[in-house]
Structure formats: C-alpha cells, structure tokens
Amino acid sequence: MDIDLVLVPVDGSDQSERAAEYAIAVAERYDADLHLLFVIDERLHRDIDSGEVSADAIADEHQAFTESIREQFVAVHDGTFETSSATAFSETRLMQTPGSVVLDVAEDIDTDFIVVPREEGEEAVGRAAIYVIEYASQPVLTV
C-alpha cells in the first residue's frame, strides 16, 4: 500500500485525539504526511453566532488541541503536518453533511488514507464516520 497523506478529521474530543494518535502511527509507518481537519458542527457555529460561546475561546481550544497533536507527530516522524477547518453544514447546500465535508476535503488534498473517530452521540465527526466508511474511495480506519 502506498500512502503519502493521511487525513484525520477531529473536533477536539477525546475520541478524536485518539484517532489522531492512530493517524500519527499510520503516517509514521508509511512515511506519510498528516493533515488534521477540524470539523465544526452546526450547533457550535450557531452558539458562536448567538454569543453563547466565545469564538476566541473555541479558537484557543482548537489551537491547543492542534499543537498537542503536532508535538506528538514531530516527536516520532519528520513528515509534513498541515491543518485546516471546515464547517460540517451549509445553509444553502442541503446535501452538505459532516461526512460529505470530510470526503470533499479528502479529494481536494489528494488523501490516500483516512482515520476517523467513531463517536457515540451527535457530534459532527462521529456522524461523519458512517458516511465516510460507506463512500470513501480511500482506505478508512475508524477508532
């Protein structure tokens, strides 16, 4: 198997941190680069818009999470570590779901392997797992 780029969608949860750790292991094993995709769900977006949640606080949490994963990655591998974020819904595109967002990013960045957390509950990344498993053209590991 030839893997040059591993994608791991995350939301900052413990389960997504675990998925990132598996993604790091896959990247190390195959001498691949790692792309961390923060998936922002509709409820968080709505809470930020309404002022119930501070956008700065969320940004700080995401940055701390990302730095933690980056540190783990560079400690074991010298590949490239990149990040991006995407909103897991659209007010204008009804077909945009957390899973379709992950797969769109996977195609855009030419991902070879996806590690997705399989969370219980209503979080966007957890809801994306089943869709990604069913429709991804790349190999998928769920944790």
Side-chain angles (χ1 to χ4, degrees):
M1 184 181 305
D2 189 26
I3 298 174
D4 294 321
L5 181 61
V6 177
L7 172 67
V8 59
V10 298
D11 59 12
S13 66
D14 291 342
Q15 190 69 16
S16 65
E17 182 175 4
R18 184 169 176 242
E21 291 167 356
Y22 274 83
I24 290 169
V26 171
E28 180 184 17
R29 168 67 176 89
Y30 290 95
D31 195 27
D33 297 329
L34 181 65
H35 190 99
L36 188 79
L37 170 65
F38 250 100
V39 179
I40 301 167
D41 76 356
E42 180 178 7
R43 288 172 301 186
L44 178 58
H45 191 270
R46 190 173 39 241
D47 289 347
I48 291 171
D49 284 348
S50 71
E52 290 180 40
V53 175
S54 164
D56 291 338
I58 296 299
D60 289 345
E61 287 177 23
H62 286 189
Q63 184 175 9
F65 183 91
T66 300
E67 281 307 310
S68 171
I69 302 303
R70 180 189 316 271
E71 289 171 5
Q72 292 176 47
F73 180 74
V74 300
V76 298
H77 186 50
D78 64 351
T80 301
F81 180 88
E82 295 181 341
T83 65
S84 63
S85 62
T87 304
F89 74 99
S90 171
E91 295 176 359
T92 58
R93 289 183 54 212
L94 296 178
M95 296 301 294
Q96 184 168 330
T97 65
S100 68
V101 167
V102 170
L103 293 183
D104 287 347
V105 170
E107 292 301 317
D108 289 346
I109 65 172
D110 200 23
T111 299
D112 300 304
F113 196 90
I114 303 171
V115 179
V116 65
R118 190 168 192 169
E119 299 176 359
E120 298 296 325
E122 294 297 314
E123 299 302 322
V125 172
R127 293 190 325 256
I130 299 297
Y131 187 91
V132 170
I133 291 166
E134 290 180 3
Y135 297 105
S137 58
Q138 305 86 349
V140 177
L141 172 64
T142 61
V143 293

